[in-house]
């Protein structure tokens, strides 16, 4: 059972089989503040797992794993695992990706007017790619994110930008794990987050310029060519012109 970000289950199933593959989406954020010590960076009432399985997993095995995870927090059973994965990927690509670019938290993105404009376009790319891949986006903590944030005109786009700080209020203190990795001189999972959106976009013929740029900037931060900082958000100026 993987709790990894991105869309890992199909690739894992190719190795171990669908009858041995489960997935679990983590609905909260935390930071490793010292060896063996994690600090919750989402509000406590957001603690939950959303778990699903692939073909061939018995109900007994599923219940066994679910019971183990429930020792920590509630586990919601998901029949639409891929839809849950795409919804979480949308959140991670937008707020972890841009938060890493800006060297800050999810709140750094939601609290900056220009970053919110970039974020909404990043969300739209993810939704467009997910729909092209045949995914039905699942609600996130009861919210229909495609209905809230998808737009086809300037008015709906402006409304979506307005909603971003409200929708992400419980998670504004999250520091992206990718940024934590960069701070410790480690490679980060950008290819498994925004990179997945870019990969499927190319494969399905859906343009992903915002996600492409996020990957480019984060890789430059990995190599030391750039440093994560708030000013990096201006690298998206030409894409919003």
């Amino acid at each position: 059972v993987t709790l990894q970000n991105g869309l890992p289950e199909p690739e894992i199933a190719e190795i171990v089989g669908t009858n041995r593959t489960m997935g679990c989406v983590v609905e909260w954020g935390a930071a490793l503040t010292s060896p063996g010590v994690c600090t919750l960076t989402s509000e406590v009432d957001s603690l939950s797992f959303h778990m699903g399985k692939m073909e061939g997993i018995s109900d007994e095995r599923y219940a066994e794993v679910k019971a183990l995870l429930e020792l920590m927090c509630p586990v919601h059973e998901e029949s639409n695992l891929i839809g849950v994965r795409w919804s979480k990927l949308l959140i991670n690509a937008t707020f972890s990706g841009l938060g890493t670019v800006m060297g800050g938290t999810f709140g750094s993105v939601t609290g900056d007017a220009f970053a919110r404009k970039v974020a909404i376009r990043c969300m739209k790319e993810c939704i467009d790619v997910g729909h092209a891949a045949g995914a039905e986006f699942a609600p996130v903590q009861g919210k229909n994110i495609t209905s809230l944030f998808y737009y086809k005109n300037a008015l709906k786009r402006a409304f979506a930008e307005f909603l971003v700080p409200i929708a992400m209020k419980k998670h504004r203190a999250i520091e992206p794990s990718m940024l934590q990795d960069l701070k410790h001189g480690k490679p980060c999972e950008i290819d498994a987050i925004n990179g997945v959106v870019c990969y499927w976009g190319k494969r399905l013929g859906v343009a992903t310029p915002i996600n492409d740029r996020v990957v480019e900037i984060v890789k430059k931060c990995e190599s030391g060519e750039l440093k994560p900082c708030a000013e990096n958000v201006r690298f998206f100026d030409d894409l919003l012109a």
Side-chain angles (χ1 to χ4, degrees):
V1 53
T2 174
L3 286 83
Q4 175 67 36
N5 289 320
L7 301 171
E9 287 82 14
E11 291 185 36
I12 291 171
E14 286 182 9
I15 299 169
V16 303
T18 58
N19 64 323
R20 300 180 64 195
T21 305
M22 287 183 259
C24 187
V25 175
V26 181
E27 291 286 305
W28 42 272
L32 186 66
T33 50
S34 61
V37 179
C38 288
T39 300
L40 185 67
T41 49
S42 294
E43 293 187 11
V44 175
D45 63 0
S46 67
L47 276 171
S48 65
F49 292 127
H50 290 253
M51 184 174 145
K53 60 182 178 179
M54 301 192 79
E55 294 294 329
I57 298 285
S58 69
D59 291 341
E60 291 75 20
R61 174 55 63 87
Y62 183 84
E64 180 184 2
V65 175
K66 182 173 180 284
L68 287 170
L69 291 172
E70 283 176 331
L71 295 173
M72 178 175 177
C73 66
V75 177
H76 301 281
E77 297 186 41
E78 297 287 352
S79 58
N80 179 19
L81 175 60
I82 295 301
V84 175
R85 276 294 185 197
W86 271 100
S87 293
K88 179 65 185 296
L89 179 61
L90 181 153
I91 299 298
N92 277 333
T94 302
F95 298 101
S96 292
L98 287 173
T100 301
V101 165
M102 296 176 69
T105 62
F106 283 22
S108 301
V109 179
T110 63
D112 181 280
F114 184 78
R116 288 197 297 272
K117 292 181 185 296
V118 180
I120 289 302
R121 286 159 176 80
C122 185
M123 286 184 177
K124 187 176 187 299
E125 289 181 6
C126 294
I127 295 170
D128 284 336
V129 173
H131 283 166
E136 181 182 346
F137 284 78
V140 176
Q141 295 182 346
K143 299 181 179 69
N144 184 330
I145 53 179
T146 54
S147 141
L148 289 174
F149 296 114
Y150 194 74
Y151 63 87
K152 290 186 177 179
N153 57 59
L155 181 62
K156 182 64 189 293
R157 185 178 64 212
F159 182 64
E161 290 171 14
F162 169 79
L163 285 178
V164 166
I166 300 169
M168 299 304 296
K169 183 179 179 182
K170 292 182 180 181
H171 306 289
R172 65 186 315 277
I174 293 177
E175 181 182 50
S177 59
M178 292 191 290
L179 180 59
Q180 296 176 48
D181 287 338
L182 290 180
K183 287 181 175 180
H184 290 95
K186 299 177 181 179
C188 65
E189 56 182 353
I190 190 64
D191 287 328
I193 299 181
N194 299 80
V196 168
V197 181
C198 302
Y199 168 79
W200 282 101
K202 288 182 177 67
R203 184 169 174 174
L204 298 167
V206 180
T208 57
I210 297 292
N211 282 277
D212 293 344
R213 187 68 52 86
V214 171
V215 172
E216 178 187 346
I217 294 169
V218 172
K219 285 186 177 292
K220 286 182 177 179
C221 290
E222 274 188 328
S223 69
E225 187 178 342
L226 288 174
K227 292 187 180 298
C229 64
E231 290 73 21
N232 286 343
V233 78
R234 305 313 309 190
F235 284 119
F236 297 91
D237 279 350
D238 61 311
L239 300 180
L240 268 63

